Amino acid sequence: MADSTPESQTHPPSSDHPPTTASDKEDPLPPPAPVPESSVGVDQTQPPAETEKKEDPPTLASVLESEKEDPHPPPPPPAVEESEFPVATQKEVAAVVPEAEPPAAATVVVEKQEPLSPAELKETAEAEAKEKQVEKVLHEEHKLPPQSLVSFKEESNIVADLSDSERKALQELKQLVQEALNDNVFTSPQPQPQPKVEPKQQQDVSPAASSEPGSDTPAAAKTDPPGSEPTIEENPVKEAEEVAKESVKVAAFAEEVSIWGIPLLKDDRSDVILLKFLRARDFKVKDAFFMLKNTIRWRKEFGIDSLLDEDLGDDLEKVVFMHGFDREGHPVCYNVFGEFQNKELYQKTFSDEEKRSKFLRWRIQFLEKSIRKLDFSPGGISTIFQVNDLKNSPGPAKRELRIATNQALQLLQDNYPEFVAKQVFINVPWWYLAFYTMISPFLTQRTKSKFVFAGPAKSPDTLFKYISPEHVPIQYGGLSVDYCDCNPEFSISDPVTEVNVKPGTKQTVEIIIYEKCIIVWELRVVGWEVRYGAEFVPNAEDGYAIIIQKSAKIGPTDEPVVHNSFKVGELGKILLTIDNSTSKKKRLLYRFKIKSFSD
């Protein structure tokens, strides 16, 4: 089985498409900020204290009374967990992999690696020594923030999976919410604090002064004579009728409140929302109720319902956008802060208070639209995977950006609990260590456990740990482009094969074809700096190889994706060869389709 073609066999390819290009559009999502959108809360591995089980469940009256006494509930305690610095997964070499969706034609893929020649190995060793020196300097200058020790793992929203104490807290919160709905607590105006009455003034109030103005009966006449017992009229039937009428009246006028399009206490989706508030407050029922009540009032004051229909322009669609899903099914939001290097865009967005206010409304609108696409059923996906690209980010030195960021973070922290599954920071610059160190004490351990940091060299591998390459945009090392005509052959639903190419080796992918057809493929090596060639080798002994693409070195600044096609008129195999003479492991990504002649 030939692995290469003699240089004399230089027949032109049947078809050679230009490389595809990327565009970074889509529909945006949560917060664009150098500081992570932190979900308030703590880890669920620590159940509420045992002493809480002996307490009586809180009533609405007691909760509201405690709110008057202490209008600022204590912040949530810290949490546990971590985000381990990601490492690229290895893939077995010399594996035989059948094509994911072969049409009529049968194909087999064979991946082989072979060592380079002694001269190539010597060149590789010299280059490796130089690169190690460079990496040592870069490591010292661009030290990353410390990683957490345990990665955050989402808890189940299915009631049967909760612990006894968690189920009890959920039931108590539902009872408080039901009482609040019956009493119109969520929609009633915020009560104004009453001025305190001095004890001296209370002593001056005489019983006679308590008679109502305009009353025909003097106060003295309303008091029972000394020594006599007060008269109590009992009528159990009448009292029962009054209670029944009052219950019907309450039920008829109980308010209906929806949040993120989900009506409270109408179905099990409401449980998922209430669990977000409970987890954000360490399953402390009173604190969770306060947070929910304040969030509902803030949404009314901010005008969330009308905000959804506002036209706030599309200037920021490349700053924050949604694209694809992670390996667990979470929608992925990209926050690209380098876009604010554009001075015109920066001034248009942050130059004065009015523009910053519009930016804030745009971000909240974007987040609201994205949240309403989530699945709030107990087993559904109700959180978002966030990627924060810090390449060319203006950083915290920009005062206007810092003000807007702080405003947004405060709103997101107070009113959008537990909506982030993971926060991945890529292309992290050297200055971020100092910045992260500064804000770290203000973040809960639960929030920090969702963070993953990666420098420029490790960013693609970090993303691939959580997101399949067919879902990663081209500008971040993947093969995904927008849903447009720039890549009509492949879409986000076409799976990508990943292969690790070891340093100083040659990787050959053989696609064996058993039927006349047209084969289309696209391929990239992350970071390139390798040689790539493609050829067709027929099965017939008297046949000759056809060079589809002559082996040539492709650099990191060349087009990121190679797109080829070939019309197969006789049985044989396609050989795709990657020659990695560098001292670094490379990641090869490819996918192909078989089409009949009639297509």
Side-chain angles (χ1 to χ4, degrees):
M1 192 177 289
D3 292 331
S4 61
T5 303
E7 286 296 319
S8 59
Q9 310 278 357
T10 56
H11 299 274
S14 313
S15 63
D16 190 357
H17 295 283
T20 56
T21 56
S23 89
D24 51 4
K25 272 190 178 179
E26 250 271 354
D27 194 348
L29 221 226
V35 187
E37 179 233 39
S38 60
S39 307
V40 185
V42 294
D43 184 34
Q44 273 322 89
T45 57
Q46 299 178 356
E50 292 296 327
T51 54
E52 290 187 8
K53 295 183 179 179
K54 299 180 181 180
E55 295 179 357
D56 295 330
T59 63
L60 181 63
S62 65
V63 170
L64 295 179
E65 184 63 29
S66 65
E67 183 184 24
K68 293 178 183 178
E69 297 172 359
D70 184 10
H72 304 290
V80 198
E81 305 209 73
E82 106 66 75
S83 286
E84 191 176 321
F85 192 72
V87 181
T89 55
Q90 288 276 346
K91 194 160 190 173
E92 250 186 3
V93 186
V96 177
V97 185
E99 159 57 356
E101 294 181 359
T107 62
V108 174
V109 177
V110 180
E111 298 164 358
K112 299 195 309 180
Q113 282 187 355
E114 59 185 62
L116 300 178
S117 65
E120 291 172 323
L121 289 174
K122 182 180 179 182
E123 180 184 348
T124 298
E126 292 174 353
E128 183 177 2
K130 292 180 181 178
E131 287 177 2
K132 283 184 177 179
Q133 292 179 353
V134 174
E135 286 179 357
K136 183 178 180 181
V137 174
L138 291 177
H139 179 74
E140 293 174 354
E141 293 182 354
H142 302 277
K143 188 179 179 183
L144 291 176
Q147 307 295 308
S148 302
L149 297 178
V150 183
S151 180
F152 172 78
K153 181 174 176 58
E154 284 191 278
E155 303 90 348
S156 172
N157 288 319
I158 300 174
V159 175
D161 295 339
L162 302 177
S163 66
D164 292 341
S165 59
E166 291 169 352
R167 279 197 295 270
K168 178 184 177 184
L170 177 60
Q171 286 303 119
E172 291 178 359
L173 180 57
K174 290 173 72 172
Q175 181 62 36
L176 288 177
V177 171
Q178 185 61 68
E179 293 178 20
L181 291 172
N182 293 341
D183 295 344
N184 297 324
V185 170
F186 292 129
T187 56
S188 60
Q190 183 76 21
Q192 298 297 324
Q194 298 294 329
K196 292 185 178 180
V197 180
E198 297 295 331
K200 185 177 180 180
Q201 294 177 338
Q202 292 179 351
Q203 294 174 1
D204 294 339
V205 178
S206 62
S210 64
S211 60
E212 298 180 6
S215 174
D216 295 334
T217 307
K222 293 185 179 181
T223 59
D224 294 321
S228 64
E229 296 183 359
T231 305
I232 300 177
E233 297 182 4
E234 295 185 1
N235 190 338
V237 176
K238 187 175 180 180
E239 289 179 2
E241 291 177 352
E242 291 294 331
V243 170
K245 289 180 181 178
E246 188 64 27
S247 300
V248 173
K249 184 178 179 182
V250 168
F253 292 98
E255 61 183 341
E256 291 188 5
V257 175
S258 294
I259 183 167
W260 301 302
I262 308 298
L264 291 180
L265 303 187
K266 292 296 183 181
D267 53 45
D268 55 5
R269 295 176 302 168
S270 175
D271 290 350
V272 175
I273 288 178
L274 295 183
L275 282 170
K276 289 181 179 292
F277 285 90
L278 282 169
R279 289 187 173 118
R281 290 295 181 257
D282 194 23
F283 278 83
K284 295 179 179 177
V285 177
K286 290 183 180 180
D287 293 347
F289 178 78
F290 289 147
M291 187 181 187
L292 174 64
K293 183 166 69 72
N294 292 335
T295 294
I296 293 172
R297 285 179 173 168
W298 169 81
R299 294 174 65 83
K300 183 178 180 181
E301 295 167 0
F302 201 81
I304 294 295
D305 292 337
S306 60
L307 175 64
L308 291 171
D309 299 324
E310 285 187 32
D311 182 7
L312 298 174
D314 56 1
D315 297 332
L316 301 173
E317 63 180 6
K318 290 186 178 181
V319 176
V320 186
F321 60 92
M322 295 296 293
H323 192 106
F325 299 86
D326 73 356
R327 295 181 186 271
E328 296 180 353
H330 301 96
V332 181
C333 170
Y334 291 85
N335 304 295
V336 188
F337 305 117
E339 292 292 328
F340 289 126
Q341 287 286 71
N342 183 323
K343 293 182 179 179
E344 182 179 349
L345 178 63
Y346 185 90
Q347 291 297 321
K348 190 176 181 180
T349 309
F350 301 117
S351 59
D352 57 46
E353 185 61 34
E354 182 180 352
K355 290 183 174 64
R356 289 194 292 271
S357 177
K358 182 181 177 182
F359 167 73
L360 183 62
R361 292 186 67 80
W362 177 86
R363 279 184 58 180
I364 296 298
Q365 181 195 64
F366 175 69
L367 178 57
E368 284 286 330
K369 288 181 178 180
S370 302
I371 286 176
R372 288 170 190 251
K373 296 176 184 177
L374 298 175
D375 181 5
F376 285 96
S377 60
I381 301 294
S382 62
T383 51
I384 297 160
F385 187 103
Q386 292 218 61
V387 177
N388 304 284
D389 181 9
L390 299 180
K391 183 178 181 180
N392 297 325
S393 172
K398 292 282 188 179
R399 177 180 173 274
E400 298 84 2
L401 177 60
R402 189 171 68 250
I403 292 174
T405 296
N406 290 339
Q407 290 174 339
L409 285 176
Q410 191 61 51
L411 287 182
L412 294 169
Q413 179 173 276
D414 292 344
N415 302 291
Y416 295 91
E418 298 299 317
F419 275 104
V420 176
K422 184 73 73 176
Q423 289 268 23
V424 176
F425 295 82
I426 60 175
N427 297 314
V428 177
W430 63 269
W431 55 260
Y432 195 81
L433 175 61
F435 181 59
Y436 179 80
T437 304
M438 180 179 66
I439 67 170
S440 181
F442 302 100
L443 304 176
T444 65
Q445 185 61 35
R446 180 182 177 88
T447 297
K448 288 186 284 188
S449 72
K450 299 179 182 182
F451 292 174
V452 175
F453 300 95
K458 294 292 185 181
S459 291
D461 284 344
T462 301
L463 290 181
F464 294 148
K465 178 179 180 180
Y466 302 103
I467 310 171
S468 300
E470 62 267 23
H471 286 261
V472 176
I474 283 183
Q475 64 268 35
Y476 295 119
L479 289 177
S480 180
V481 297
D482 289 337
Y483 309 107
C484 60
D485 295 333
C486 45
N487 189 8
E489 300 293 348
F490 297 96
S491 71
I492 206 168
S493 61
D494 295 312
V496 172
T497 300
E498 304 176 55
V499 180
N500 288 322
V501 184
K502 295 179 180 179
T505 61
K506 184 182 293 184
Q507 178 80 40
T508 300
V509 176
E510 297 181 0
I511 305 174
I512 303 174
I513 302 172
Y514 298 101
E515 186 174 291
K516 294 180 180 181
C517 63
I518 297 174
I519 180 171
V520 180
W521 71 91
E522 64 179 6
L523 171 148
R524 83 175 295 173
V525 175
V526 181
W528 286 102
E529 294 182 325
V530 299
R531 299 182 69 87
Y532 162 67
E535 61 181 330
F536 172 75
V537 179
N539 289 343
E541 292 182 1
D542 57 347
Y544 57 90
I546 300 174
I547 294 182
I548 301 172
Q549 182 160 327
K550 187 177 180 179
S551 179
K553 187 171 183 177
I554 302 179
T557 58
D558 294 327
E559 289 290 345
V561 178
V562 173
H563 192 143
N564 289 126
S565 67
F566 184 72
K567 187 175 182 179
V568 181
E570 56 182 321
L571 303 186
K573 57 188 175 184
I574 298 288
L575 301 180
L576 308 177
T577 304
I578 301 296
D579 186 346
N580 180 20
S581 60
T582 71
S583 61
K584 297 180 179 179
K585 181 176 65 177
K586 295 290 184 178
R587 186 185 292 263
L588 166 64
L589 309 174
Y590 71 90
R591 56 184 170 179
F592 66 90
K593 282 185 176 181
I594 301 296
K595 301 166 65 176
S596 66
F597 282 155
S598 60
D599 289 347

